[in-house]
Amino acid sequence: MASNADFVQYIADQCAGAGEIAVKKMFGDYGIYCDGKIFGLICDDCFYLKPTEAGKELLRTIELRPPYEGAKDYFLITDVDDRDHLGTLVRETCKALPDPKPKKKKKS
């Protein structure tokens, strides 16, 4: 079951305090990015955050769950209504994640 577009937009809006947020459709659901770095997934109307120690310290409750069958566990974020907390959580998670690898240029 794919995520509702309104829910995806709501999560993006709630994370906006962390930086420039973008969502990209992936495999029927969405990847969510901050300043070009993927930090989570939105699958089946649930928000999943890549696990980091920084995120773990900020979470009020910790629930690990795979966002889709065969995936590694992510933090399941159920408290998505506190915009300030979510922005801080995303910002600190992104600081702890490695920078994205540069894309290879296509040969012409």
Side-chain angles (χ1 to χ4, degrees):
M1 180 175 97
S3 294
N4 178 298
D6 290 337
F7 180 77
V8 173
Q9 188 59 54
Y10 181 73
I11 296 298
D13 291 345
Q14 291 297 93
C15 295
E20 186 178 327
I21 302 298
V23 291
K24 296 181 184 175
K25 199 155 183 74
M26 303 171 70
F27 315 113
D29 274 301
Y30 297 86
I32 186 164
Y33 298 75
C34 181
D35 299 327
K37 187 183 290 189
I38 189 165
F39 66 87
L41 300 170
I42 303 171
C43 300
D44 297 331
D45 289 336
C46 293
F47 175 41
Y48 296 91
L49 186 71
K50 285 189 174 188
T52 63
E53 282 301 314
K56 186 176 181 180
E57 290 176 17
L58 290 169
L59 286 173
R60 296 172 180 151
T61 57
I62 297 171
E63 184 176 349
L64 287 165
R65 185 186 299 177
Y68 54 89
E69 192 174 322
K72 294 180 181 180
D73 283 344
Y74 278 56
F75 293 132
L76 174 63
I77 308 300
T78 55
D79 181 11
V80 296
D81 296 324
D82 184 342
R83 185 181 181 115
D84 292 335
H85 179 68
L86 208 52
T88 300
L89 181 60
V90 169
R91 186 171 38 258
E92 294 305 312
T93 294
C94 286
K95 285 181 188 176
L97 294 172
D99 289 330
K101 295 177 182 172
K103 293 183 179 180
K104 294 181 180 178
K105 293 182 180 179
K106 292 181 181 179
K107 295 179 182 178
S108 33

